[in-house]
Amino acid sequence: VQLQASGGGLVQAGGYLRLSCAASGRTFSTYEKTAWFRQAPGKEREFVAAITWNGGVTYYADSVKGRFTISRDNAKYTVDLQMNSLKLEDTAVYYCASGPRITIVAMKNSASYNYWGQGTLVTVSS
């Protein structure tokens, strides 16, 4: 059971990147939520966005709402994060995570997730 995050890189402020999280060794299960978290240097890991197993409902941190879009393709076992209008403060290592039966209350807590990708670095420059 592995999640592989990719798509990070260096981008100028105002630019965009698309991150992808691919599952291998398993499929995303029914009632499973998948999320993106990020961790900037010297800071705690924070919730960015989450999506339900069927893609029907999405959730976003206030800091990325309107700029980031999370989506999933269960046929390809991928969950993507489209990041537009990037800001300097978006610089961080981004992690994808997944887990079953995570409630709305618990989804912003990283401890709720069973499976984690290795992280992909996003650097936004001025």
Side-chain angles (χ1 to χ4, degrees):
V1 177
Q2 288 188 334
L3 298 179
Q4 181 77 29
S6 62
L10 175 64
V11 63
Q12 286 191 324
Y16 63 92
L17 280 175
R18 188 176 183 89
L19 306 183
S20 185
C21 177
S24 61
R26 64 184 293 273
T27 60
F28 292 113
S29 301
T30 304
Y31 305 118
E32 183 166 345
K33 281 189 177 69
T34 304
W36 286 93
F37 285 78
R38 67 186 181 185
Q39 188 165 18
K43 295 188 177 181
E44 294 187 353
R45 191 168 297 188
E46 66 173 357
F47 171 81
V48 175
I51 189 168
T52 53
W53 67 278
N54 61 356
V57 185
T58 56
Y59 309 88
Y60 297 94
D62 288 343
S63 59
V64 306
K65 202 172 294 183
R67 300 188 298 120
F68 291 11
T69 302
I70 189 171
S71 61
R72 73 187 305 153
D73 185 337
N74 286 344
K76 298 180 179 179
Y77 313 135
T78 58
V79 173
D80 290 352
L81 184 69
Q82 178 67 40
M83 306 186 296
N84 298 330
S85 302
L86 283 163
K87 303 177 180 180
L88 297 178
E89 52 264 41
D90 294 320
T91 295
V93 177
Y94 284 70
Y95 300 89
C96 59
S98 194
R101 303 187 180 277
I102 299 172
T103 65
I104 294 175
V105 173
M107 70 177 179
K108 294 184 179 182
N109 185 345
S110 60
S112 303
Y113 296 82
N114 300 63
Y115 309 108
W116 287 85
Q118 84 289 1
T120 185
L121 176 62
V122 173
T123 304
V124 183
S125 64
S126 59

